[in-house]
Amino acid sequence: MIGLVDCNNFYASCERVFRPDWEGRPLAVLSNNDGCVIARSNEAKELVEMGAPTFKIPPAARQQLILVSSNYTLYGDMSRRVTATLREFTPDVEIYSIDESFLGFDGFPLDGLIEHCCEMRRVVRRNTGIPVSVGLSTSRTLAKLANRRAKKDATFGGVCLMDSDGDETRAVLKDLPVTDLWGVSGRLGQRLAQLGIVNAWQLREADPKRIRARFSVVQERLVYELRGIDCIDTDDYGEPKKNIMTSRSFGRLSSDPHEVRQAIRAHAARGAEKLRKQGSVARAIQVHLKTNKHREDLAQYHPVLVVQLPHPSNDTRVIVGAAQAALKRVYLGGYRYMKAGVMMLDLAQADTLQHDIFDSPESDAERERSAKASAVMDELNRRMGSGTVRLGGTKGKADWKLKAELLTQRYTTRWDELPVAHLK
DNA sequence: TGGGAAACT
DNA sequence: AGTTTCC
């Protein structure tokens, strides 16, 4: 059996753990830059759409809503706590996202499994304050559907087991539009509809070979998954990323070349850090800038430039230098930039990399020096807080930083931001 | 008017 | 390189 544990309204729930006075009230969490709504408590769902731009929230709704900036330090730590509790209930925990984990229950007797998961749910709630729902079935896709039923229908008590066969499963699948399935959205849904496949049951009964021929191996797997056959390959969980992007909107529009350069240098430095963390080197990087496409009154410019690095590298100085050089080639004055980003491309594992056979001994020495310098920097930043050691021209607290005007405390990771209880 | 990653086309 | 999909 496979379980899918999904935290209910995760970000909103994290915010409420330390603000019991927000219990039962409509609460929405805003994106980076306070730009749009990215999470809602149940009470907020009738007041505001997911993804709604903050400035478009009607005043009437806004008055009732508690709005907060996203507090990723808090959510990341709460997520870690939830996962730690899940591990007490099965050793096989596969983190799928910040608020979802797949659990393997191989070897667990089917008999007490639901009760086991109910207990898990209670303990997660007790340990972390976060409510979760559990879906159980024999494939990830069905576990996900079971989870959704557990969420929707309170009579399940938060845990729903869906058989891979039987009348009930059949009824559920018949009732489910294909576009509600994991991995099927608008476009694919339209193409499936052309074959007369509009609900999940029809897809389950389709000929996998035919589906593979018309679509791809991913959709073929989906057919098997709907039949309860586990066939999503999870070997690539925990594998190093194949590319790494760091990008961010400016808090406002910027036409200051120094500011743009600072941002690009900081993103590049962050990218190099991420490379080292997963033991990769990049063979190329990409730099991009964007103006605000919503502002039709302003001139638009969206340059993208890929540059090959002379040697694969994860050295902050090399990456930052290359990014800045790339920026220099595409930057044009006179535009008001909205966003800047740097991507690490064509990644390879640092330790298995075939060194350039024309490399001289000096460059070997240089490579070692560079690795040492980076390691010291990473260690200092890990121990003393990120941003303690930076390359010049990558200001940490810069003007181009995000807007987050409604930030809550980092209750669980900062001594000076601990929650305080007032006793009467 | 989010940010990040992957796979497909 | 752009699009689609996920969270």
Side-chain angles (χ1 to χ4, degrees):
Chain A
M1 272 287 166
I2 295 173
L4 172 63
V5 177
D6 191 315
C7 302
N8 302 347
N9 312 325
F10 182 56
Y11 295 174
S13 298
C14 287
E15 296 289 349
R16 280 219 283 230
V17 169
F18 299 97
R19 288 296 302 262
D21 53 318
W22 286 353
E23 205 58 49
R25 298 194 52 194
L27 181 154
V29 180
L30 301 175
S31 67
N32 267 339
N33 234 348
D34 294 343
C36 61
V37 171
I38 57 167
R40 303 164 297 164
S41 70
N42 281 342
E43 300 78 15
K45 288 183 182 174
E46 44 204 68
L47 287 175
V48 63
E49 288 296 300
M50 192 66 159
T54 311
F55 77 94
K56 275 194 186 166
I57 301 175
R62 209 176 159 144
Q63 234 171 18
Q64 302 173 62
L65 275 171
I66 299 167
L67 289 182
V68 296
S69 304
S70 32
N71 185 342
Y72 287 105
T73 313
L74 176 65
Y75 311 150
D77 188 57
M78 294 302 285
S79 171
R80 202 185 44 70
R81 291 170 185 226
V82 169
T83 314
T85 299
L86 298 180
R87 290 213 176 86
E88 295 173 15
F89 287 82
T90 170
D92 182 3
V93 176
E94 173 186 295
I95 299 170
Y96 177 70
S97 74
I98 195 165
D99 71 333
E100 276 175 88
S101 290
F102 286 106
L103 308 185
F105 287 115
D106 280 352
F108 285 63
L110 192 57
D111 209 7
L113 191 55
I114 292 185
E115 186 38 50
H116 185 66
C117 289
C118 287
E119 176 63 9
M120 175 170 76
R121 201 171 154 266
R122 279 193 292 272
V123 176
V124 169
R125 183 73 191 248
R126 193 182 68 213
N127 287 0
T128 67
I130 301 292
V132 300
S133 305
V134 187
L136 289 162
S137 194
T138 54
S139 71
R140 283 174 181 70
T141 303
L142 290 182
K144 204 144 167 137
L145 291 182
N147 186 288
R148 189 149 56 186
R149 295 188 74 202
K151 271 215 174 87
K152 248 195 218 152
D153 186 345
T155 59
F156 283 111
V159 179
C160 169
L161 187 150
M162 217 166 122
D163 291 319
S164 52
D165 258 306
D167 293 343
E168 198 184 358
T169 298
R170 181 183 172 138
V172 170
L173 294 183
K174 277 192 171 170
D175 211 34
L176 189 79
V178 267
T179 47
D180 280 9
L181 286 170
W182 199 21
V184 183
S185 190
R187 265 290 292 272
L188 188 58
Q190 279 176 18
R191 289 172 59 205
L192 284 166
Q194 286 169 5
L195 301 182
I197 298 174
V198 294
N199 67 47
W201 179 258
Q202 291 169 320
L203 184 57
R204 172 188 159 126
E205 294 301 291
D207 175 12
K209 297 261 175 309
R210 179 154 169 260
I211 294 294
R212 179 171 191 158
R214 300 239 184 178
F215 300 93
S216 82
V217 65
V218 180
Q219 279 70 41
E220 182 193 20
R221 279 197 208 115
L222 183 55
V223 175
Y224 288 117
E225 281 271 319
L226 285 170
R227 297 175 184 185
I229 300 161
D230 173 32
C231 56
I232 291 179
D233 186 18
T234 56
D235 289 352
D236 41 299
Y237 284 87
E239 286 288 294
K241 310 260 184 279
K242 293 173 179 167
N243 49 52
I244 291 174
M245 173 150 78
T246 313
S247 81
R248 206 123 306 183
S249 301
F250 297 102
R252 48 195 161 62
L253 297 181
S254 173
S255 20
D256 177 359
H258 301 296
E259 209 168 59
V260 175
R261 193 180 53 152
Q262 289 265 340
I264 287 291
R265 286 177 67 90
H267 292 331
R270 181 83 188 99
E273 235 173 72
K274 289 183 185 173
L275 282 176
R276 295 196 293 272
K277 190 160 181 197
Q278 65 165 29
S280 297
V281 285
R283 286 186 270 236
I285 63 165
Q286 183 245 60
V287 166
H288 61 267
L289 297 175
K290 281 184 163 67
T291 48
N292 185 350
K293 64 174 193 273
H294 299 286
R295 289 287 299 268
E296 286 170 21
D297 54 323
L298 297 176
Q300 297 293 316
Y301 182 43
H302 302 141
V304 179
L305 183 62
V306 175
V307 293
Q308 301 294 320
L309 298 176
H311 305 285
S313 177
N314 58 21
D315 183 327
T316 298
R317 294 166 301 173
V318 173
I319 305 279
V320 169
Q324 187 172 327
L327 175 66
K328 209 166 176 180
R329 288 172 53 192
V330 294
Y331 184 87
L332 292 179
Y335 291 98
R336 304 185 62 195
Y337 295 98
M338 167 85 173
K339 189 175 187 176
V342 177
M343 220 189 293
M344 309 291 117
L345 303 173
D346 203 359
L347 307 192
Q349 279 307 96
D351 49 5
T352 62
L353 191 74
Q354 193 77 20
H355 289 313
D356 191 329
I357 54 166
F358 297 112
D359 266 3
S360 63
E362 292 96 277
S363 63
D364 266 343
E366 170 56 30
R367 205 175 9 247
E368 224 164 272
R369 272 166 41 86
S370 129
K372 267 188 195 154
S374 299
V376 168
M377 215 165 107
D378 289 341
E379 179 62 12
L380 280 169
N381 283 333
R382 193 183 65 75
R383 290 223 300 247
M384 322 274 294
S386 72
T388 305
V389 188
R390 295 188 308 270
L391 206 61
T394 55
K395 250 199 302 180
K397 280 245 178 300
D399 316 328
W400 52 266
K401 274 277 168 120
L402 301 175
K403 193 164 79 173
E405 292 171 346
L406 306 164
L407 204 52
T408 48
Q409 287 153 255
R410 290 167 292 184
Y411 302 101
T412 61
T413 53
R414 293 288 174 135
W415 289 113
D416 50 350
E417 297 183 23
L418 290 179
V420 175
H422 298 278
L423 302 177
K424 282 194 198 170

